[in-house]
Amino acid sequence: MTAASHAEHHHTSLGVDSRKLGMWALIASECLLFGSLIATYLIYRSQSVAGPSPAQILDIPVTSVSTFVLLMSSFSIVLALHGIQSGDIAAFRRYILLTALGGTVFLGFQTYEFTHFVQSGLGFSTNVFGSSFFMLTGTHGTHVAVGVIWLLSLYFSSVRGKLTEDAAIKVDTMALYWHFVDVIWIVIFTVVYLFVFV
Amino acid sequence: MSATTPVAAAHGPVHGTEHEHPGPKTYAKIAIVLTVITAGEIWVFYIEQLKFLLVPVLSVLSAVKFALVAMFYMHLKFDHPVFTRLLLAGMVLALGTFLALLALFTWSHPLLKLLAG
Amino acid sequence: MTEAVLPHPRENYGLSSWLTTVDHKRIGILYGVTAVVFACVGGIEAMLIRTQLIVPNNTFLSPDLFNAMFTMHGTTMIFMFVMPLNAAFFNYIVPLQIGARDVAFPRLNALSYWVFLFGGLLFHLSFVTGHLPEVGWFGYANITTKQFTPGPEVGLLGSVIPKGLQYPVSGTEFWIVGLQLLGLASLIASINFIVTILNLRAPGMTPMRMPLFTWVTLITNFLLLLALPVITVALFQILLDRHFGTRFYDIGAGGTVMLWQHLFWVFGHPEVYILILPPMGMVSEVLPTFSRKPLFGYPAMVYASAAIAFLGFSVWAHHMFTTGMGAMATAIFSAATMLIAIPTGVKIFNWISTMWGGSLRMTTAMWFAVGFLAEFTIGGLSGIMHASPPIDGQHQDTYFVVAHFHYVLFGGSVFGLFAGLYYWFPKFSGRLLSEPIGKVHFWLTAIGFNLTFFPMHFLGVDGMPRRIYTYAPGFNLETWNFWSSIGAYITLLSALVFFYNVFVSLRGRQKAPADPWDARTLEWAIASPPPAYNFASLPDVQARDDFWYRKHEAKTFKPEPEHVHVVLPNPSYWPLIVGAGITLMGAGFLFAYVLTFIGVAVTLVGAYGWSFAKFEG
């Protein structure tokens, strides 16, 4: 029994890895989380009684750049995944760092944006637009930050040789999270920024 | 991958890495398409004459981007359909619920009509 | 952590074995015991409420304390009693029913429990501080904003910490933070159970061979997965409003309290199915076993459960008919609500048909299951009444609504849970509960429950409002309030009889066999209580009700060999540490923000240790 159980442990009914399945379940849940935040934003964005409105303050060109950076980090993480799946550890490490860099750049842009808004008179307590905007983009930024920490810990555990037997699945699971954070930003960018005059 | 048929799925072992995932070439093509669409979105945004088309065009373009990332980068096109179903469950429910919620607030809420003047 | 091979779990005694356990059965027991302790607290609160209302113009509780009691009672019974007791059954029974050795993520399972426990304790810490929440279980904004529940001038830590580092809190904070943690616990658990049921079934356990309890567990956890994020967002909005001055529910700044009501009920309506579906599953196991017949219309039961869950997401605004949503919205939500009666009716008729023509054995579990059918139907019918907006307008905020939801929550969920407890108790403990005492328990519960809650229908239509601490004499409210309170005391007595039953049964010498009821599903094929590894060899499932099939039809059943060695996951302290870290993050909003930063640090360290600890043997 002792010998058999290890193999049995990895037997699964659907033939898929449980961690990936769990990540997809989490993603389903996150749809409702971001849905609530986006709905709150859309209900509140034009209800403010004072202060800057979205059209007065949102900066489309700057955010387009950071959106592009995040989109490309999705590209780099599939390359990292391909690297680890095909045994090319050097490529994996290169691209996982590049992805973390992309996430960090995105967070840098967001920090700049938030600071700029506060200087222009829009804080989270200025009006209901400010509250719902900062909560939505802040929650997304927190997800990116968690992702960057996760990416870096994958990188460092690879360097220290601790990323071994099921490394590909671990990276695969993380990549799913990263892509989801990216596609949610696609939605946020469109709804919050590009629909600003609608 | 092998587990797409239910019979094989019930008994087959996990082949975590043997998905027939596309290679870097496909990924690069997708990246280019994503870039072009994003550029297109921003272009549409700045064209005065297309104002009336803004919402439908941008919604469709964003949905295409979303779908491309989900299908190719997240491998939904190649992986077990249960993953697609999970994502769809979350998305359909979120869209249905929150579109209904927005409708409640914009169309029929006397309180908000009052507030909006 | 060297015990890679755990020969027999019952030899591992002591506190540390419970603190580090990742065994789904032990975690199930932890959930169950904790839920029952919280139920006692919630029950005492109910007794205080009924004592205050036993005569008009009573001064037993102050108005403030009365508000606190119904808030604590509702929140405790829903989030700290019925939900975790359901989770106890998910934990203990589902892996056994699908022929698995554990859940998909054993350590996440332990984490769920610790976050639940700490969240419940944090919520109840409000008793110690003397600032109890007085906002109802629904916490409507803007009762929950600083405008209406501002709290005292100084923080709870007084002069221990400089003023700038702490925050003056009211009981509302305890409600917000407690609920947030309890929600997180359920969310983590929901992912775990969805993956477990989808991915860890024994060979041959196809979806349509799964026991109905496993089915409703899957469906319930989908409800949790998809409903909880909405309340998470709403709770954060309130928390940010209170702590950092955001304007979500500030009317003067353009905020609307309707948003809270919508977000709360988008979560809150699926929540009622989260409470009732698992007990429905338990009844669906008990009735076939004691009728010696397969569940009537099994596929219809599966589809009906799924339909109830799906429709449950589209009816939230029926809690808001009197807010003036407009005729069109009200009509749509009314029609959608009435639709739910169809799959629910399918279930009721299937349960009755299961018993029809069966050779019934009226054990205590069976009595509670039949009681469930009767009481739940009454609650379901008054629910259909509320689906009609004009009737709802009459009943809104009266005791009629209190009667309705206690018939579904107590008459439904709690009766179903008792049926499940009597049925599976031998599997949990290796001891059978006493049947004679059980019958006394059942009849006292049935009499006490109906005497408490049926008169509330009359009180409601006579115009007695909910959540008011007293009433004046001379409005025809005295008689039924008196009898309702007497009913509550009888219910209390019935609970004492139940505890006595558990006590004498656990001390009794008579051990339960593996299959005391001649039951149908896989958990009865193995010893009571099961060994740590559950199944010596994973079952090869041939049929629905596989154990019954192997016992009585194929005649291929062989008892399992004793004393096999299976490699099991190592016990781990990391779930406890991460759970403590997450709790500290929440506690920062109650005492001093520095705790939040400590909590983040503890969680990160815990997550690091978690990732690199040697877990599998």
Side-chain angles (χ1 to χ4, degrees):
Chain A
M1 272 321 296
T2 310
S5 69
H6 193 69
E8 274 176 7
H9 185 81
H10 291 278
H11 160 94
T12 63
S13 322
L14 297 175
V16 299
D17 186 85
S18 288
R19 283 162 290 185
K20 281 182 72 178
L21 194 58
M23 180 52 73
W24 276 110
L26 178 68
I27 287 172
S29 186
E30 295 264 352
C31 288
L32 274 291
L33 185 92
F34 281 101
S36 310
L37 292 166
I38 293 170
T40 302
Y41 174 80
L42 287 177
I43 288 165
Y44 273 165
R45 64 173 185 166
S46 57
Q47 295 294 324
S48 302
V49 294
S53 70
Q56 287 166 343
I57 204 158
L58 294 179
D59 189 338
I60 310 297
V62 169
T63 315
S64 304
V65 176
S66 68
T67 302
F68 179 71
V69 170
L70 195 62
L71 206 54
M72 285 306 108
S73 76
S74 256
F75 177 42
S76 68
I77 202 171
V78 283
L79 294 179
L81 177 62
H82 184 78
I84 197 134
Q85 281 175 344
S86 54
D88 186 352
I89 298 297
F92 161 71
R93 287 181 192 162
R94 192 164 60 239
Y95 286 118
I96 206 96
L97 268 189
L98 192 63
T99 311
L101 182 69
T104 313
V105 169
F106 179 85
L107 288 174
F109 269 96
Q110 194 168 45
T111 313
Y112 163 77
E113 183 192 36
F114 281 14
T115 324
H116 176 71
F117 284 3
V118 171
Q119 282 162 357
S120 323
L122 182 78
F124 46 68
S125 56
T126 309
N127 53 28
V128 287
F129 156 61
S131 299
S132 52
F133 171 82
F134 281 109
M135 190 178 180
L136 169 58
T137 52
T139 305
H140 181 266
T142 310
H143 277 75
V144 176
V146 168
V148 169
I149 295 173
W150 192 349
L151 287 166
L152 290 177
S153 64
L154 279 176
Y155 172 77
F156 285 114
S157 52
S158 159
V159 170
R160 291 171 54 200
K162 289 200 167 187
L163 201 63
T164 46
E165 25 169 351
D166 47 1
I169 286 291
K170 280 183 178 164
V171 178
D172 205 352
T173 308
M174 194 288 147
L176 289 176
Y177 173 85
W178 191 258
H179 293 308
F180 180 73
V181 170
D182 180 27
V183 291
I184 277 296
W185 185 256
I186 291 175
V187 176
I188 294 173
F189 178 64
T190 306
V191 171
V192 174
Y193 291 86
L194 295 181
F195 285 176
V196 65
F197 297 117
V198 177
Chain B
M1 73 174 269
S2 64
T4 42
T5 56
V7 182
H11 298 283
V14 187
H15 307 292
T17 55
E18 76 150 43
H19 310 290
E20 290 155 24
H21 288 171
K25 269 190 190 163
T26 318
Y27 293 145
K29 279 183 207 156
I30 300 292
I32 293 166
V33 176
L34 290 173
T35 309
V36 171
I37 295 178
T38 308
E41 284 180 331
I42 295 157
W43 178 73
V44 173
F45 179 79
Y46 282 111
I47 301 300
E48 274 300 315
Q49 292 87 335
L50 293 179
K51 270 267 139 76
F52 67 103
L53 277 175
L54 198 66
V55 172
V57 168
L58 289 183
S59 302
V60 170
L61 288 179
S62 300
V64 170
K65 274 163 66 177
F66 193 110
L68 284 175
V69 173
M71 283 166 67
F72 290 93
Y73 286 179
M74 298 170 96
H75 307 125
L76 284 183
K77 197 166 184 292
F78 317 97
D79 265 357
H80 196 285
V82 71
F83 297 152
T84 311
R85 285 177 206 146
L86 275 169
L87 178 65
L88 282 179
M91 283 190 49
V92 168
L93 197 66
L95 274 174
T97 304
F98 295 114
L99 286 177
L101 188 62
L102 287 174
L104 278 168
F105 271 93
T106 43
W107 293 339
S108 64
H109 216 288
L111 233 165
L112 271 149
K113 274 186 193 154
L114 214 81
L115 276 173
Chain C
M1 311 212 173
T2 50
E3 302 85 11
V5 177
L6 301 173
H8 206 280
R10 303 288 146 180
E11 289 159 26
N12 290 331
Y13 289 109
L15 184 63
S16 72
S17 75
W18 287 97
L19 294 178
T20 59
T21 185
V22 291
D23 179 346
H24 70 98
K25 299 180 288 299
R26 290 186 139 208
I27 292 171
I29 288 171
L30 286 172
Y31 261 113
V33 171
T34 314
V36 170
V37 171
F38 281 131
C40 293
V41 177
I44 291 167
E45 286 152 3
M47 292 308 136
L48 296 177
I49 291 169
R50 279 319 316 169
T51 305
Q52 164 66 17
L53 294 173
I54 192 166
V55 290
N57 287 336
N58 202 357
T59 53
F60 177 70
L61 294 179
S62 69
D64 269 342
L65 202 52
F66 187 86
N67 290 350
M69 283 305 111
F70 74 67
T71 303
M72 298 297 285
H73 168 74
T75 311
T76 304
M77 287 308 199
I78 290 167
F79 294 98
M80 284 158 260
F81 166 45
V82 176
M83 280 173 75
L85 195 54
N86 284 340
F89 283 95
F90 300 163
N91 262 291
Y92 208 107
I93 300 301
V94 166
L96 302 180
Q97 283 197 332
I98 61 173
R101 293 235 165 86
D102 207 322
V103 292
F105 309 110
R107 289 185 297 181
L108 276 185
N109 200 21
L111 177 64
S112 297
Y113 171 73
W114 294 118
V115 175
F116 151 65
L117 175 69
F118 295 150
L121 290 178
L122 210 56
F123 176 72
H124 278 89
L125 207 58
S126 56
F127 273 113
V128 181
T129 65
H131 302 293
L132 289 160
E134 299 178 28
V135 293
W137 84 279
F138 40 81
Y140 277 175
N142 47 9
I143 302 172
T144 39
T145 62
K146 265 164 89 177
Q147 189 184 358
F148 292 104
T149 45
E153 288 298 310
V154 290
L156 295 171
L157 295 177
S159 54
V160 180
I161 273 184
K163 218 179 171 186
L165 290 175
Q166 55 175 323
Y167 186 86
V169 298
S170 73
T172 309
E173 254 88 8
F174 285 93
W175 182 82
I176 296 169
V177 174
L179 226 56
Q180 198 70 286
L181 288 171
L182 294 164
L184 180 67
S186 295
L187 189 69
I188 299 169
S190 72
I191 293 174
N192 211 342
F193 284 105
I194 288 170
V195 175
T196 303
I197 296 171
L198 290 180
N199 222 16
L200 257 59
R201 282 169 280 130
M205 180 61 84
T206 57
M208 290 315 264
R209 285 180 187 165
M210 295 197 311
L212 207 86
F213 181 68
T214 298
W215 259 112
V216 295
T217 302
L218 180 65
I219 292 165
T220 304
N221 281 290
F222 266 107
L223 288 175
L224 286 164
L225 181 81
L226 300 172
L228 281 167
V230 184
I231 189 78
T232 305
V233 167
L235 287 169
F236 268 124
Q237 288 172 344
I238 289 273
L239 196 66
L240 292 171
D241 268 12
R242 292 183 67 91
H243 280 252
F244 304 115
T246 54
R247 303 297 187 97
F248 290 106
Y249 299 108
D250 182 346
I251 312 299
T256 164
V257 293
M258 297 310 299
L259 180 65
W260 170 272
Q261 290 204 22
H262 279 293
L263 292 180
F264 182 82
W265 288 115
V266 167
F267 151 78
H269 199 79
E271 171 70 17
V272 306
Y273 297 110
I274 289 163
L275 298 171
I276 192 65
L277 278 172
M280 283 177 164
M282 293 170 202
V283 167
S284 306
E285 302 293 322
V286 170
L287 289 175
T289 298
F290 296 111
S291 308
R292 294 179 68 84
K293 275 178 65 190
L295 184 67
F296 185 88
Y298 169 94
M301 290 297 262
V302 172
Y303 298 135
S305 304
I308 289 174
F310 180 76
L311 288 171
F313 270 106
S314 57
V315 298
W316 79 85
H318 71 210
H319 296 267
M320 302 166 62
F321 280 155
T322 56
T323 62
M325 294 180 293
M328 180 57 85
T330 303
I332 293 171
F333 280 106
S334 169
T337 306
M338 289 183 189
L339 274 182
I340 293 188
I342 298 170
T344 313
V346 166
K347 295 191 123 187
I348 303 266
F349 286 114
N350 278 349
W351 284 320
I352 294 171
S353 309
T354 302
M355 289 189 287
W356 186 267
S359 47
L360 306 185
R361 281 176 296 159
M362 294 309 288
T363 59
T364 310
M366 186 67 167
W367 272 113
F368 270 106
V370 175
F372 165 96
L373 271 182
E375 318 292 9
F376 176 76
T377 304
I378 295 173
L381 290 173
S382 57
I384 299 173
M385 292 168 75
H386 295 149
S388 163
I391 299 177
D392 182 78
Q394 282 293 306
H395 291 165
Q396 170 90 24
D397 278 342
T398 71
Y399 263 82
F400 195 93
V401 177
V402 181
H404 156 69
F405 70 70
H406 279 95
Y407 264 86
V408 285
L409 260 177
F410 194 138
S413 295
V414 177
F415 272 64
L417 283 163
F418 272 128
L421 266 175
Y422 276 89
Y423 179 59
W424 278 303
F425 192 83
K427 192 50 66 184
F428 300 152
S429 67
R431 299 284 193 284
L432 283 155
L433 285 170
S434 154
E435 283 293 320
I437 305 177
K439 301 267 164 58
V440 174
H441 171 217
F442 168 77
W443 284 109
L444 276 177
T445 310
I447 293 166
F449 160 76
N450 282 297
L451 187 57
T452 310
F453 295 108
F454 207 84
M456 288 187 187
H457 292 111
F458 307 139
L459 288 169
V461 288
D462 282 347
M464 180 157 167
R466 291 170 74 177
R467 310 185 198 106
I468 300 291
Y469 75 104
T470 192
Y471 52 95
F475 291 96
N476 199 21
L477 303 174
E478 295 93 329
T479 313
W480 289 124
N481 265 307
F482 173 79
W483 284 109
S484 176
S485 296
I486 297 299
Y489 302 143
I490 295 175
T491 313
L492 173 68
L493 182 65
S494 79
L496 296 177
V497 170
F498 172 69
F499 287 127
Y500 176 71
N501 195 353
V502 172
F503 180 73
V504 294
S505 304
L506 283 179
R507 300 207 72 183
R509 243 171 280 154
Q510 201 193 352
K511 294 205 171 176
D515 179 24
W517 312 119
D518 195 9
R520 316 181 68 84
T521 43
L522 285 179
E523 71 270 29
W524 303 103
I526 53 177
S528 303
Y533 48 80
N534 297 349
F535 297 91
S537 53
L538 291 184
D540 183 16
V541 179
Q542 310 285 330
R544 191 181 296 159
D545 290 345
D546 187 65
F547 178 47
W548 179 272
Y549 172 79
R550 281 188 283 155
K551 268 191 303 187
H552 295 298
E553 291 171 35
K555 313 256 186 220
T556 53
F557 175 69
K558 290 188 206 76
E560 295 233 305
E562 278 179 41
H563 301 299
V564 293
H565 284 225
V566 176
V567 180
L568 290 171
N570 286 331
S572 171
Y573 277 108
W574 296 115
L576 181 61
I577 292 168
V578 174
I582 291 171
T583 310
L584 278 175
M585 284 194 230
F589 291 90
L590 300 174
F591 301 102
Y593 292 137
V594 61
L595 289 178
T596 302
F597 295 107
I598 298 174
V600 172
V602 172
T603 308
L604 284 176
V605 170
Y608 182 83
W610 183 308
S611 308
F612 294 109
K614 186 167 165 52
F615 181 52
E616 281 161 16

